Structures are given as structure tokens and as C-alpha cells.
Coordinates of all heavy atoms in Angstrom, one line a residue:
M1 N 121.1 101.8 106.8 CA 120.0 100.9 106.4 C 120.2 99.6 107.3 O 121.2 99.0 107.2 CB 120.0 100.5 104.9 CG 118.7 99.8 104.5 SD 117.3 100.7 104.5 CE 117.5 101.7 103.0
T2 N 119.3 99.2 108.2 CA 119.4 98.1 108.9 C 118.8 96.9 108.2 O 117.8 97.0 107.6 CB 118.8 98.3 110.3 OG1 117.5 98.6 110.2 CG2 119.5 99.4 111.1
E3 N 119.3 95.7 108.5 CA 118.8 94.4 108.0 C 118.5 93.5 109.2 O 119.3 93.5 110.1 CB 119.9 93.8 107.1 CG 120.0 94.7 105.8 CD 120.7 93.9 104.8 OE1 121.9 93.5 105.0 OE2 120.3 93.7 103.6
T4 N 117.4 92.8 109.1 CA 117.0 91.9 110.2 C 117.2 90.5 109.6 O 116.7 90.2 108.6 CB 115.5 92.2 110.4 OG1 115.3 93.5 110.8 CG2 115.1 91.4 111.7
L5 N 117.9 89.7 110.4 CA 118.1 88.2 110.0 C 116.9 87.5 110.2 O 116.4 87.5 111.3 CB 119.3 87.7 110.8 CG 119.8 86.4 110.3 CD1 120.4 86.6 108.8 CD2 121.0 85.9 111.1
S6 N 116.5 86.6 109.2 CA 115.3 85.8 109.3 C 115.9 84.5 108.8 O 115.9 84.3 107.5 CB 114.1 86.3 108.6 OG 113.2 85.3 108.3
H7 N 116.2 83.6 109.6 CA 116.9 82.3 109.2 C 118.1 82.7 108.3 O 118.9 83.5 108.7 CB 115.9 81.3 108.5 CG 114.7 80.9 109.5 ND1 114.7 79.8 110.2 CD2 113.6 81.7 110.1 CE1 113.8 79.7 111.0 NE2 113.1 80.8 110.9
K8 N 118.1 82.1 107.0 CA 119.3 82.3 106.3 C 119.0 83.5 105.3 O 119.7 83.9 104.4 CB 119.6 81.2 105.4 CG 120.4 80.1 106.2 CD 120.5 78.8 105.5 CE 119.2 78.1 105.6 NZ 119.2 76.7 105.0
R9 N 117.9 84.2 105.5 CA 117.6 85.4 104.7 C 117.7 86.7 105.4 O 117.5 86.7 106.6 CB 116.2 85.3 104.1 CG 115.9 84.1 103.3 CD 114.6 84.1 102.7 NE 114.3 82.9 101.8 CZ 113.7 81.9 102.5 NH1 113.4 81.9 103.6 NH2 113.5 80.8 101.7
L10 N 118.0 87.7 104.7 CA 117.9 89.1 105.2 C 116.7 89.7 104.8 O 116.4 89.8 103.6 CB 119.2 89.8 104.8 CG 120.4 89.4 105.6 CD1 121.6 90.1 104.8 CD2 120.5 89.8 107.0
I11 N 115.9 90.3 105.7 CA 114.9 91.2 105.3 C 115.1 92.6 105.7 O 115.6 92.9 106.7 CB 113.5 90.7 105.9 CG1 112.4 91.4 105.4 CG2 113.6 90.5 107.4 CD1 111.0 90.8 105.6
R12 N 114.9 93.5 104.8 CA 115.1 94.8 105.0 C 113.8 95.8 104.7 O 113.2 95.5 103.6 CB 116.2 95.3 104.1 CG 116.6 96.7 104.1 CD 118.0 96.8 103.5 NE 118.0 96.3 102.0 CZ 117.8 97.1 101.0 NH1 117.5 98.4 101.2 NH2 117.8 96.6 99.8
L13 N 113.5 96.6 105.6 CA 112.3 97.4 105.4 C 112.9 98.6 104.6 O 113.7 99.4 105.0 CB 111.8 98.0 106.7 CG 110.5 98.7 106.6 CD1 109.4 97.7 106.1 CD2 110.1 99.2 108.0
V14 N 112.4 98.6 103.3 CA 112.7 99.7 102.3 C 112.1 101.0 102.6 O 112.6 102.0 102.5 CB 112.7 99.3 100.9 CG1 113.1 100.2 99.9 CG2 113.5 97.9 100.7
R15 N 110.7 100.7 102.8 CA 109.9 102.0 103.1 C 109.0 101.6 104.2 O 108.3 100.6 104.1 CB 109.1 102.2 101.8 CG 108.2 103.5 101.9 CD 107.4 103.6 100.5 NE 106.7 104.8 100.4 CZ 105.5 105.2 101.1 NH1 105.0 104.3 101.8 NH2 105.1 106.4 100.9
S16 N 109.0 102.5 105.2 CA 108.1 102.2 106.3 C 106.7 102.5 106.0 O 106.3 103.6 105.3 CB 108.5 103.2 107.5 OG 107.6 103.1 108.5
P17 N 105.8 101.5 106.6 CA 104.3 101.9 106.3 C 103.8 103.0 107.3 O 102.5 103.2 107.2 CB 103.7 100.6 106.6 CG 104.7 99.9 107.7 CD 106.0 100.4 107.3
A18 N 104.6 103.6 108.0 CA 104.1 104.5 109.1 C 103.4 105.7 108.6 O 102.3 106.1 109.1 CB 105.3 105.0 110.0
S19 N 103.8 106.3 107.4 CA 103.1 107.6 106.9 C 101.7 107.2 106.3 O 100.7 107.8 106.7 CB 104.0 108.1 105.9 OG 104.4 107.4 104.9
D20 N 101.6 106.3 105.3 CA 100.4 106.1 104.7 C 99.9 104.6 104.7 O 98.9 104.3 103.9 CB 100.4 106.7 103.2 CG 101.5 105.9 102.4 OD1 102.1 105.0 103.0 OD2 101.6 106.4 101.3
G21 N 100.5 103.8 105.4 CA 100.2 102.4 105.5 C 100.6 101.5 104.4 O 100.4 100.3 104.5
V22 N 101.4 102.1 103.6 CA 102.0 101.3 102.5 C 103.4 101.2 102.7 O 104.1 102.2 102.8 CB 101.7 101.8 101.1 CG1 102.2 100.9 100.0 CG2 100.2 101.8 100.9
G23 N 104.0 99.9 102.8 CA 105.4 99.9 103.0 C 106.0 98.9 102.0 O 105.3 98.3 101.1
V24 N 107.4 98.8 101.8 CA 108.0 98.1 100.9 C 109.1 97.4 101.8 O 109.9 98.0 102.5 CB 108.7 98.9 99.8 CG1 109.6 98.0 98.9 CG2 107.7 99.7 99.0
F25 N 109.2 95.9 101.6 CA 110.4 95.4 102.1 C 111.1 94.6 101.0 O 110.5 94.3 100.0 CB 110.1 94.5 103.4 CG 109.1 93.3 103.1 CD1 109.6 92.1 102.6 CD2 107.7 93.4 103.5 CE1 108.6 91.1 102.4 CE2 106.9 92.4 103.2 CZ 107.3 91.2 102.6
C26 N 112.2 94.2 101.4 CA 113.1 93.4 100.4 C 113.7 92.2 101.2 O 114.1 92.2 102.3 CB 114.3 94.3 100.0 SG 115.6 93.4 99.1
I27 N 113.5 91.1 100.5 CA 114.1 89.8 101.1 C 115.2 89.4 100.1 O 115.2 89.2 99.0 CB 113.1 88.6 101.2 CG1 111.9 89.1 102.1 CG2 113.6 87.3 101.5 CD1 110.8 87.9 102.2
R28 N 116.4 89.0 100.9 CA 117.6 88.8 100.1 C 118.2 87.5 100.6 O 118.2 87.3 101.8 CB 118.6 89.9 100.3 CG 119.8 89.6 99.4 CD 120.6 91.1 99.3 NE 121.0 91.7 100.5 CZ 122.2 91.3 101.1 NH1 122.9 90.4 100.6 NH2 122.5 91.8 102.2
D29 N 118.4 86.7 99.7 CA 119.1 85.4 100.1 C 120.4 85.3 99.3 O 120.8 86.3 98.7 CB 118.3 84.2 100.0 CG 118.0 83.9 98.5 OD1 118.6 84.4 97.6 OD2 116.9 83.2 98.2
A30 N 121.1 84.2 99.2 CA 122.4 84.2 98.6 C 122.4 84.5 97.2 O 123.4 85.1 96.7 CB 123.0 82.7 98.8
K31 N 121.3 84.3 96.5 CA 121.3 84.5 95.1 C 120.4 85.7 94.6 O 120.7 86.3 93.6 CB 120.7 83.1 94.4 CG 121.7 82.1 94.3 CD 121.2 80.8 93.7 CE 120.3 80.1 94.7 NZ 119.9 78.8 94.2
T32 N 119.2 85.9 95.3 CA 118.3 86.8 94.7 C 117.9 87.9 95.8 O 118.0 87.7 96.9 CB 117.0 86.0 94.3 OG1 116.6 85.3 95.4 CG2 117.3 85.2 93.1
Q33 N 117.4 88.9 95.3 CA 116.7 90.0 96.1 C 115.4 90.3 95.4 O 115.3 90.5 94.3 CB 117.8 91.2 96.0 CG 117.3 92.5 96.3 CD 118.3 93.5 96.6 OE1 119.1 93.4 97.5 NE2 118.5 94.4 95.7
T34 N 114.4 90.2 96.4 CA 113.0 90.5 95.8 C 112.3 91.5 96.6 O 112.5 91.5 97.9 CB 112.3 89.1 95.9 OG1 113.0 88.1 95.3 CG2 110.9 89.3 95.4
F35 N 111.6 92.4 95.9 CA 110.9 93.4 96.6 C 109.5 93.2 96.7 O 108.9 92.6 95.8 CB 111.3 94.9 95.9 CG 112.6 95.3 96.1 CD1 113.6 94.9 95.1 CD2 112.9 96.4 97.0 CE1 114.9 95.4 95.4 CE2 114.2 96.8 97.1 CZ 115.2 96.4 96.4
Y36 N 108.9 93.5 97.8 CA 107.5 93.4 98.1 C 106.9 94.7 98.4 O 107.3 95.3 99.4 CB 107.2 92.2 99.0 CG 107.6 90.9 98.7 CD1 109.0 90.5 99.0 CD2 106.9 90.0 98.1 CE1 109.5 89.3 98.7 CE2 107.3 88.7 97.8 CZ 108.6 88.4 98.2 OH 109.1 87.1 97.8
V37 N 105.7 95.0 98.0 CA 104.9 96.0 98.6 C 103.9 95.5 99.5 O 103.3 94.4 99.2 CB 104.1 96.9 97.4 CG1 103.3 98.0 98.0 CG2 105.2 97.3 96.4
F38 N 103.6 96.0 100.5 CA 102.6 95.4 101.4 C 101.8 96.6 102.2 O 102.2 97.7 102.4 CB 103.3 94.5 102.6 CG 104.2 95.3 103.5 CD1 103.6 95.6 104.7 CD2 105.5 95.8 103.2 CE1 104.4 96.3 105.7 CE2 106.2 96.5 104.1 CZ 105.7 96.8 105.5
H39 N 100.6 96.2 102.7 CA 99.9 96.9 103.5 C 99.1 96.0 104.5 O 98.8 95.0 104.2 CB 99.0 98.0 102.9 CG 97.9 97.3 102.1 ND1 98.0 96.8 100.7 CD2 96.6 97.0 102.4 CE1 96.9 96.3 100.2 NE2 96.0 96.4 101.3
E40 N 98.8 96.6 105.6 CA 98.1 95.8 106.7 C 96.6 95.8 106.3 O 96.1 96.8 105.9 CB 98.3 96.3 108.1 CG 97.8 95.4 109.2 CD 98.5 95.6 110.5 OE1 99.3 96.5 110.7 OE2 98.2 94.7 111.4
I41 N 96.0 94.7 106.6 CA 94.5 94.6 106.2 C 93.8 94.2 107.4 O 94.4 93.5 108.3 CB 94.2 93.6 105.1 CG1 94.9 92.3 105.3 CG2 94.7 94.1 103.7 CD1 94.6 91.3 104.2
P42 N 92.5 94.8 107.6 CA 91.7 94.4 108.8 C 91.6 92.8 109.0 O 91.3 92.1 107.9 CB 90.4 95.1 108.5 CG 90.7 96.0 107.6 CD 91.8 95.6 106.7
N43 N 91.6 92.4 110.2 CA 91.7 91.0 110.5 C 91.2 90.8 111.9 O 91.7 91.3 112.7 CB 93.2 90.5 110.4 CG 93.4 89.1 111.0 OD1 92.5 88.3 110.9 ND2 94.4 89.0 111.6
D44 N 90.0 90.1 111.8 CA 89.4 89.8 113.2 C 89.5 88.3 113.7 O 88.7 88.0 114.6 CB 87.9 90.5 113.3 CG 87.1 89.9 112.2 OD1 87.5 89.0 111.4 OD2 86.1 90.5 112.0
I45 N 90.3 87.6 113.0 CA 90.4 86.2 113.4 C 91.8 86.0 114.1 O 92.1 84.7 114.4 CB 90.3 85.2 112.2 CG1 91.2 85.6 111.2 CG2 88.8 85.3 111.7 CD1 91.2 84.6 110.1
G46 N 92.4 87.0 114.6 CA 93.7 86.7 115.4 C 94.9 87.0 114.6 O 94.9 86.7 113.4
G47 N 95.9 87.5 115.3 CA 97.1 87.9 114.6 C 97.0 89.2 113.7 O 96.0 89.9 113.9
R48 N 97.9 89.4 112.9 CA 97.9 90.6 112.0 C 97.9 90.1 110.6 O 98.6 89.2 110.2 CB 99.0 91.5 112.2 CG 99.0 92.0 113.7 CD 100.4 92.7 114.0 NE 100.3 94.0 113.2 CZ 101.4 94.9 113.2 NH1 102.6 94.6 113.8 NH2 101.4 96.0 112.4
G49 N 97.0 90.8 109.8 CA 97.0 90.4 108.3 C 97.6 91.3 107.4 O 97.5 92.5 107.7
F50 N 98.4 90.9 106.4 CA 99.0 91.8 105.4 C 98.6 91.3 104.0 O 98.7 90.1 103.8 CB 100.5 91.8 105.6 CG 100.8 92.4 107.0 CD1 101.0 91.6 108.1 CD2 101.2 93.7 107.1 CE1 101.4 92.1 109.3 CE2 101.6 94.4 108.3 CZ 101.7 93.4 109.4
A51 N 98.4 92.2 103.1 CA 98.4 92.0 101.7 C 99.8 92.2 101.3 O 100.3 93.4 101.3 CB 97.5 92.8 100.9
V52 N 100.5 91.3 100.6 CA 101.9 91.4 100.2 C 101.9 91.2 98.7 O 101.5 90.1 98.1 CB 102.8 90.3 100.9 CG1 104.2 90.5 100.5 CG2 102.7 90.5 102.4
H53 N 102.4 92.1 98.0 CA 102.5 92.0 96.6 C 103.9 92.1 96.0 O 104.8 92.9 96.4 CB 102.0 93.4 96.0 CG 101.0 93.4 94.9 ND1 99.8 93.5 94.8 CD2 101.4 93.0 93.5 CE1 99.3 93.3 93.6 NE2 100.3 93.0 92.8
R54 N 104.2 91.0 95.3 CA 105.6 90.9 94.9 C 105.9 91.8 93.7 O 105.2 91.7 92.7 CB 105.9 89.5 94.4 CG 107.3 89.1 94.0 CD 107.5 87.7 93.8 NE 108.7 87.3 93.1 CZ 109.2 86.2 92.7 NH1 108.2 85.1 93.0 NH2 110.2 86.0 92.1
L55 N 106.8 92.7 93.8 CA 107.0 93.8 92.7 C 107.4 93.0 91.3 O 108.3 92.2 91.4 CB 108.1 94.7 93.1 CG 107.7 96.1 93.8 CD1 108.8 97.0 93.9 CD2 106.5 96.7 93.0
G56 N 106.9 93.5 90.4 CA 107.3 93.1 89.0 C 106.4 92.0 88.4 O 106.2 91.8 87.2
L57 N 106.1 91.0 89.3 CA 105.4 89.7 88.8 C 103.9 89.8 89.2 O 103.1 88.9 88.7 CB 106.0 88.6 89.5 CG 107.5 88.3 88.9 CD1 108.1 87.1 89.7 CD2 107.3 87.9 87.5
G58 N 103.4 90.7 90.0 CA 102.0 90.8 90.3 C 101.5 89.7 91.2 O 100.2 89.7 91.4
D59 N 102.3 88.8 91.7 CA 101.8 87.8 92.8 C 101.4 88.6 93.9 O 101.9 89.3 94.5 CB 102.9 86.9 93.1 CG 103.3 86.0 91.9 OD1 102.5 85.9 91.0 OD2 104.5 85.5 92.0
L60 N 100.2 88.2 94.4 CA 99.6 88.9 95.6 C 99.3 87.7 96.7 O 98.6 86.7 96.3 CB 98.2 89.6 95.3 CG 97.5 90.1 96.6 CD1 98.3 91.3 97.2 CD2 96.2 90.6 96.1
Y61 N 99.9 87.8 97.8 CA 99.7 86.9 98.9 C 99.0 87.6 100.1 O 99.4 88.7 100.4 CB 100.9 86.3 99.4 CG 101.8 85.7 98.3 CD1 103.1 86.3 97.9 CD2 101.4 84.6 97.7 CE1 103.9 85.8 96.9 CE2 102.2 84.0 96.6 CZ 103.4 84.6 96.3 OH 104.2 84.1 95.3
H62 N 98.0 87.0 100.7 CA 97.6 87.4 102.0 C 98.3 86.7 102.9 O 98.1 85.3 103.1 CB 96.1 87.2 102.0 CG 95.3 88.2 101.1 ND1 94.8 87.7 99.9 CD2 95.0 89.5 101.3 CE1 94.3 88.8 99.3 NE2 94.3 89.8 100.1
V63 N 99.0 87.4 103.9 CA 99.9 86.8 104.9 C 99.3 87.1 106.3 O 99.0 88.4 106.5 CB 101.2 87.3 104.7 CG1 102.3 86.6 105.7 CG2 101.8 87.2 103.3
R64 N 99.2 86.2 107.2 CA 98.8 86.5 108.4 C 99.9 86.0 109.5 O 100.6 84.9 109.3 CB 97.4 85.8 108.8 CG 96.8 86.1 110.1 CD 95.3 86.0 110.0 NE 94.9 84.5 109.9 CZ 94.7 83.7 110.9 NH1 94.6 84.2 112.2 NH2 94.5 82.5 110.9
I65 N 100.2 86.9 110.3 CA 101.2 86.6 111.3 C 100.7 86.7 112.7 O 99.7 87.5 112.9 CB 102.5 87.5 111.2 CG1 102.2 88.9 111.4 CG2 103.2 87.1 109.9 CD1 103.5 89.9 111.6
G66 N 101.3 86.0 113.6 CA 100.8 86.0 115.1 C 101.5 84.9 115.7 O 102.7 84.6 115.6
T67 N 100.7 84.1 116.6 CA 101.2 82.9 117.2 C 101.4 81.9 116.1 O 101.0 82.2 114.9 CB 100.2 82.4 118.2 OG1 99.0 82.0 117.4 CG2 99.8 83.4 119.1
P68 N 102.2 80.9 116.3 CA 102.4 79.9 115.2 C 101.1 79.3 114.6 O 101.0 79.2 113.4 CB 103.2 78.8 115.9 CG 104.0 79.4 116.9 CD 103.0 80.7 117.4
A69 N 100.2 79.2 115.4 CA 98.8 78.7 114.9 C 98.2 79.7 114.1 O 97.2 79.4 113.2 CB 98.0 78.2 116.1
Q70 N 98.3 81.0 114.2 CA 97.8 82.0 113.5 C 98.3 82.4 112.1 O 97.9 83.0 111.4 CB 97.8 83.4 114.3 CG 96.8 83.3 115.5 CD 96.9 84.4 116.4 OE1 98.0 85.1 116.6 NE2 95.8 84.9 117.1
C71 N 99.6 81.8 112.0 CA 100.3 82.2 110.8 C 99.8 81.5 109.6 O 99.7 80.3 109.5 CB 101.8 82.0 110.9 SG 102.7 83.0 112.1
S72 N 99.6 82.3 108.5 CA 99.3 81.6 107.3 C 99.7 82.4 106.1 O 99.8 83.7 106.2 CB 97.7 81.4 107.2 OG 97.1 82.6 107.1
C73 N 99.7 81.8 104.9 CA 100.2 82.5 103.7 C 99.6 81.8 102.5 O 99.2 80.6 102.7 CB 101.6 82.7 103.6 SG 102.2 83.6 102.2
E74 N 99.6 82.4 101.3 CA 98.8 81.7 100.2 C 99.8 81.2 99.2 O 99.5 80.7 98.2 CB 97.9 82.7 99.5 CG 96.8 83.2 100.4 CD 96.0 84.2 99.8 OE1 96.6 85.2 99.0 OE2 94.8 84.3 99.9
C75 N 101.1 81.3 99.5 CA 102.1 80.8 98.6 C 102.4 79.3 98.6 O 102.0 78.7 99.6 CB 103.5 81.7 98.8 SG 104.3 81.1 100.3
L76 N 103.1 78.8 97.6 CA 103.4 77.5 97.5 C 104.2 77.0 98.7 O 104.1 75.9 99.2 CB 104.1 77.1 96.2 CG 103.2 76.9 95.0 CD1 104.1 76.6 93.8 CD2 102.3 75.7 95.3
G77 N 105.1 77.7 99.1 CA 106.0 77.5 100.2 C 105.3 77.1 101.4 O 105.5 76.1 102.2
F78 N 104.2 78.0 101.7 CA 103.4 77.7 103.0 C 102.6 76.4 102.7 O 102.5 75.7 103.6 CB 102.6 79.0 103.3 CG 101.8 78.7 104.6 CD1 102.4 78.8 105.8 CD2 100.5 78.3 104.5 CE1 101.7 78.6 106.9 CE2 99.8 78.1 105.7 CZ 100.3 78.2 106.9
L79 N 102.0 76.3 101.6 CA 101.1 75.1 101.3 C 102.0 73.8 101.5 O 101.5 72.8 102.1 CB 100.5 75.2 100.0 CG 99.5 76.3 99.7 CD1 99.0 76.3 98.3 CD2 98.2 76.0 100.7
R80 N 103.2 73.9 101.1 CA 104.1 72.7 101.1 C 104.7 72.4 102.6 O 104.8 71.3 102.9 CB 105.1 72.7 100.1 CG 104.6 72.5 98.7 CD 105.8 72.5 97.7 NE 105.3 72.3 96.3 CZ 105.9 72.9 95.3 NH1 107.0 73.5 95.4 NH2 105.4 72.7 94.1
H81 N 105.1 73.5 103.1 CA 105.9 73.4 104.3 C 105.3 73.9 105.6 O 105.8 73.7 106.6 CB 107.2 74.0 104.1 CG 107.9 73.6 102.8 ND1 108.4 72.3 102.5 CD2 108.3 74.2 101.7 CE1 109.0 72.2 101.4 NE2 108.9 73.4 100.8
G82 N 104.3 74.7 105.5 CA 103.7 75.2 106.6 C 104.4 76.5 107.1 O 104.2 76.9 108.2
N83 N 105.4 77.0 106.4 CA 106.0 78.1 106.6 C 106.7 78.7 105.4 O 106.8 78.1 104.4 CB 107.3 77.8 107.7 CG 107.6 79.0 108.5 OD1 107.3 80.1 108.3 ND2 108.3 78.8 109.6
C84 N 106.9 80.0 105.5 CA 107.4 80.6 104.2 C 108.3 81.9 104.6 O 108.2 82.5 105.6 CB 106.4 80.9 103.2 SG 105.2 82.1 103.7
K85 N 108.9 82.5 103.5 CA 109.6 83.6 103.7 C 108.9 84.8 104.0 O 109.3 85.8 104.7 CB 110.6 83.9 102.5 CG 109.9 84.0 101.3 CD 110.9 84.0 100.0 CE 110.1 84.1 98.8 NZ 111.1 84.1 97.6
H86 N 107.6 84.9 103.6 CA 106.8 86.0 103.7 C 106.4 86.1 105.3 O 106.5 87.1 105.8 CB 105.5 85.9 102.9 CG 105.8 85.6 101.4 ND1 105.4 84.4 100.8 CD2 106.4 86.3 100.6 CE1 105.9 84.5 99.6 NE2 106.4 85.5 99.4
I87 N 105.9 85.0 105.8 CA 105.7 84.9 107.2 C 106.9 85.3 108.1 O 106.9 86.1 109.0 CB 105.1 83.6 107.7 CG1 103.7 83.5 107.0 CG2 105.0 83.4 109.2 CD1 103.2 82.1 107.2
Q88 N 108.0 84.6 107.7 CA 109.3 84.9 108.5 C 109.7 86.2 108.4 O 110.2 86.8 109.4 CB 110.4 83.9 107.9 CG 110.2 82.4 108.2 CD 111.1 81.5 107.4 OE1 111.9 81.9 106.7 NE2 110.9 80.2 107.6
G89 N 109.6 86.9 107.2 CA 110.1 88.2 107.1 C 109.2 89.2 107.7 O 109.8 90.0 108.6
L90 N 107.8 89.1 107.7 CA 107.0 89.9 108.4 C 107.2 89.8 109.9 O 107.1 90.7 110.7 CB 105.5 89.7 108.0 CG 105.1 90.3 106.7 CD1 103.8 89.8 106.1 CD2 105.2 91.8 106.6
L91 N 107.3 88.5 110.4 CA 107.4 88.3 111.9 C 108.7 89.0 112.2 O 108.8 89.6 113.4 CB 107.6 86.8 112.1 CG 106.2 86.1 112.3 CD1 106.5 84.5 112.4 CD2 105.4 86.6 113.5
A92 N 109.8 88.8 111.5 CA 111.0 89.5 111.9 C 110.9 91.0 112.0 O 111.4 91.6 112.9 CB 112.2 89.1 110.9
L93 N 110.2 91.5 111.0 CA 110.0 93.1 111.0 C 109.2 93.5 112.3 O 109.4 94.4 112.9 CB 109.3 93.5 109.7 CG 110.3 93.6 108.6 CD1 109.5 93.9 107.4 CD2 111.5 94.3 108.6
A94 N 108.1 92.6 112.5 CA 107.2 92.9 113.6 C 108.0 92.8 115.0 O 107.9 93.7 115.8 CB 106.0 92.0 113.6
H95 N 108.8 91.8 115.1 CA 109.5 91.6 116.4 C 110.6 92.7 116.4 O 111.0 93.1 117.6 CB 110.2 90.2 116.3 CG 109.2 89.1 116.4 ND1 109.5 87.9 116.2 CD2 107.9 89.1 117.0 CE1 108.4 87.0 116.5 NE2 107.6 87.7 116.9
A96 N 111.1 93.2 115.4 CA 112.0 94.4 115.4 C 111.3 95.6 115.7 O 112.0 96.7 115.7 CB 112.8 94.4 114.2
G97 N 110.0 95.6 115.8 CA 109.3 96.9 116.0 C 109.1 97.8 114.9 O 108.8 98.9 115.0
K98 N 109.3 97.2 113.7 CA 109.3 98.0 112.5 C 107.8 98.2 111.8 O 107.7 98.8 110.8 CB 110.3 97.6 111.5 CG 111.8 97.8 112.0 CD 112.7 97.2 111.0 CE 114.1 97.5 111.6 NZ 115.2 96.9 110.7
L99 N 106.9 97.3 112.3 CA 105.6 97.4 111.6 C 104.6 97.9 112.7 O 104.6 97.6 113.8 CB 105.3 95.9 111.2 CG 106.0 95.3 110.1 CD1 105.5 94.0 109.8 CD2 106.0 96.1 109.0
Ligands
ZN1 ZN1 104.2 82.8 101.7

């Protein structure tokens, strides 16, 4: 199992979306490990869009990755800081050629 470093977090693709479009990734930091189910959604405004579902809690985020200007997410972290672990994680997986 390979892990991709995204800042101080590790993101790991648990299930590849290659077969049916639905994937699972895990983001782990020093204290916690969180699993997310995701699938790519059609997006014609630039970048790539993903619906990301946090397992167990039901939180659903629409995450868009691409150039820095194209990146967006619906979580509090992005609203406050303009960046978040969902974007960083998906970007890391995309750059690693896993998406
Ligand atoms: Zn986010």
C-alpha cells in the first residue's frame, strides 16, 4: 500500500475508482485517520470536480481541483483558509496519477 505525502498528512487510496467510478481514500495525520468515499462529477467550469463523502458522519463536500484558482471545497477549512485537506488530498492523488 503506497501513501502519498500531502503537507503533514498522508493520503492513501484505499479503493481505486478505476472499475466503477467510486473510490475510497484515507487521510491520516498525527492523531486521526478518516475515510472518504468519492466519485468524480461532471464539471464544465474548469478543473475536475469530486463529490467527497466522509464515512460515518454523512458530511458531503463538493471538491474541485485544478489550477489554484480552480480549487474549491465546501468545508469550513476552505471557507476559512482557502485551502483544505480534501483539495490537498485529491491533488496529491491526481498528481500521483491515481485518479
Ligand atoms: Zn475541504
Side-chain angles (χ1 to χ4, degrees):
M1 194 69 78
T2 57
E3 294 187 307
T4 306
L5 190 62
S6 164
H7 297 258
K8 279 170 284 184
R9 298 187 185 93
L10 286 170
I11 182 161
R12 177 162 57 91
L13 192 63
V14 178
R15 181 186 196 277
S16 170
S19 58
D20 60 5
V22 179
V24 177
F25 64 80
C26 171
I27 295 178
R28 184 158 63 82
D29 62 22
K31 281 176 282 183
T32 56
Q33 164 166 290
T34 309
F35 289 86
Y36 298 88
V37 180
F38 69 98
H39 65 272
E40 188 155 7
I41 50 179
N43 163 37
D44 52 15
I45 55 173
R48 297 174 70 186
F50 295 88
V52 177
H53 217 111
R54 184 172 168 186
L55 265 192
L57 291 174
D59 296 338
L60 173 67
Y61 306 115
H62 290 100
V63 186
R64 192 155 62 99
I65 60 170
T67 65
Q70 289 172 332
C71 290
S72 67
C73 185
E74 297 174 324
C75 71
L76 274 181
F78 182 79
L79 291 176
R80 286 185 185 150
H81 309 296
N83 205 343
C84 70
K85 59 187 174 184
H86 311 112
I87 291 172
Q88 290 166 5
L90 285 170
L91 274 177
L93 289 175
H95 288 162
K98 293 179 179 175
L99 295 181

